[in-house]
């Protein structure tokens, strides 16, 4: 396919018109490079973004790509998964207020505190599922979700120990394990990600049930049952914590070995 020669288009400095078979094609950017304003050999591949045969290509405003991406990222912050995470963060001070209301021993206030704790635990299950299923994972969610998990559980344990319902060493073991494993994940993230195991999920369930039973003002056989549920939760906390440490050590060794092998191949 041939284009209109520059001389036929009005010579140098003429408006940048071009096309195929004599049909003019409009250039959105005006004159072409060096003031000729004509497409080379009629291909129409100039900087104006026009396609073959002089057809106009998509027009993108200057900086529109960055602005559009920023708008999408900003909008994605307010998805349902992140809203559930925010709800859990808001529930933390509300839970503490309900838990300690009227001295912390009123059964009615404790029941309301349990309801707030239950909502937080349930939303913890759904927000992660929704984020993974519907591709709603955001940087905010990655940071805020584990913070919300630790905050509601930590608030409940500290309140229970403060009121004398739960020994401080139990609170120390559970919170120490959670914070320690979180820190360990960050240490070995350069080598890979430690996946959540079935034991870890079972530990979370046991902790939620046990703490929820302690939040309620239970008496009689149920009070005895909650002691054993908490014992199981503490045991799972210790065992799964040790397993995560083992995985972190193995992951680090594998990462170092892979780096060494890559370095040796580069030198060879």
């Amino acid at each position: 396919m041939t284009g209109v020669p520059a001389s036929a288009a009005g010579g140098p400095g003429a408006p940048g018109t071009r096309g195929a078979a004599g049909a003019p094609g409009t250039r959105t950017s005006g004159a072409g490079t060096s003031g000729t304003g004509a497409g080379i050999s009629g291909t129409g591949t100039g900087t104006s973004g026009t396609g073959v045969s002089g057809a106009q290509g998509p027009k993108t405003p200057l900086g529109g790509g960055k602005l559009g991406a920023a708008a999408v990222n900003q909008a994605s912050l307010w998805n349902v998964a992140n809203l559930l995470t925010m709800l859990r963060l808001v529930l933390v001070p509300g839970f503490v207020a309900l838990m300690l209301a009227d001295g912390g021993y009123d059964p009615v206030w404790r029941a309301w505190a349990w309801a707030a704790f239950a909502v937080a635990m349930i939303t913890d299950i759904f927000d992660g599922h929704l984020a993974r299923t519907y591709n709603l994972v955001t940087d905010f969610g990655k940071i805020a979700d584990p913070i919300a998990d630790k905050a509601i559980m930590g608030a409940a344990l500290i309140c229970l120990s403060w009121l004398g319902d739960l020994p401080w060493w139990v609170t120390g073991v559970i919170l120490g394990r959670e914070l320690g494993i979180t820190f360990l994940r960050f240490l070995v993230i350069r080598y890979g990600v430690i996946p959540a195991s079935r034991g870890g999920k079972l530990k979370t369930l046991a902790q939620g049930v046990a703490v929820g039973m302690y939040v309620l003002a239970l008496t009689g056989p149920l009070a005895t049952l909650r002691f054993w549920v908490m014992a199981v939760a503490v045991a799972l906390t210790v065992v799964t914590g040790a397993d995560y440490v083992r995985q972190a050590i193995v992951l680090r060794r594998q990462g170092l070995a892979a780096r060494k092998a890559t370095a040796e191949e580069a030198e060879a």
Side-chain angles (χ1 to χ4, degrees):
M1 177 163 44
T2 60
V4 180
S7 59
T17 56
R18 58 186 176 176
T26 304
R27 288 181 59 138
T28 59
S29 61
T33 305
S34 303
T36 60
I40 300 174
S41 300
T43 57
T45 56
T47 58
S48 62
T50 54
V52 179
S53 302
Q56 282 189 323
K59 295 184 287 185
T60 303
L62 183 62
K66 295 181 179 180
L67 292 175
V72 170
N73 291 336
Q74 184 64 24
S76 65
L77 174 66
W78 301 101
N79 61 61
V80 63
N82 284 347
L83 290 176
L84 289 176
T85 300
M86 295 177 192
L87 174 62
R88 280 190 291 139
L89 289 171
V90 172
L91 282 173
V92 174
F95 166 80
V96 173
L98 293 169
M99 189 71 182
L100 301 180
D102 198 15
Y105 296 102
D106 188 291
V108 176
W109 288 113
R110 294 283 286 261
W112 282 108
W114 176 88
F117 181 81
V119 170
M121 291 293 99
I122 293 172
T123 55
D124 177 31
I125 298 173
F126 283 103
D127 63 354
H129 175 73
L130 290 172
R132 291 186 297 270
T133 303
Y134 298 101
N135 195 25
L136 301 176
V137 178
T138 62
D139 291 338
F140 171 81
K142 292 177 183 178
I143 297 173
D145 183 69
I147 292 176
D149 297 342
K150 308 288 186 297
I152 190 65
M153 182 60 69
L157 290 168
I158 292 173
C159 285
L160 288 171
S161 294
W162 180 269
L163 294 171
D165 293 340
L166 192 67
W168 277 106
W169 70 265
V170 174
T171 296
V173 167
I174 294 177
L175 291 185
R177 185 269 190 196
E178 299 300 328
L179 296 176
I181 296 302
T182 300
F183 179 69
L184 187 62
R185 285 177 181 272
F186 280 109
L187 283 181
V188 300
I189 197 170
R190 70 184 70 178
Y191 307 110
V193 177
I194 303 176
S197 62
R198 290 186 177 181
K201 295 178 181 179
L202 184 60
K203 176 269 305 177
T204 301
L205 176 63
Q207 285 182 358
V209 173
V211 171
M213 293 179 72
Y214 269 86
V215 169
L216 287 171
L218 299 178
T219 57
L222 290 178
T224 303
L225 177 63
R226 71 181 182 181
F227 168 82
W228 291 108
V229 175
M230 180 59 76
V232 171
V234 171
L236 288 173
T237 298
V238 174
V239 171
T240 56
D243 183 61
Y244 275 120
V245 172
R246 180 193 62 80
Q247 291 186 58
I249 294 173
V250 172
L251 189 62
R252 182 177 181 274
R253 288 177 178 174
Q254 292 175 346
L256 291 175
R259 287 187 178 184
K260 183 179 180 180
T262 302
E264 291 176 351
E265 290 178 0
E267 293 176 357

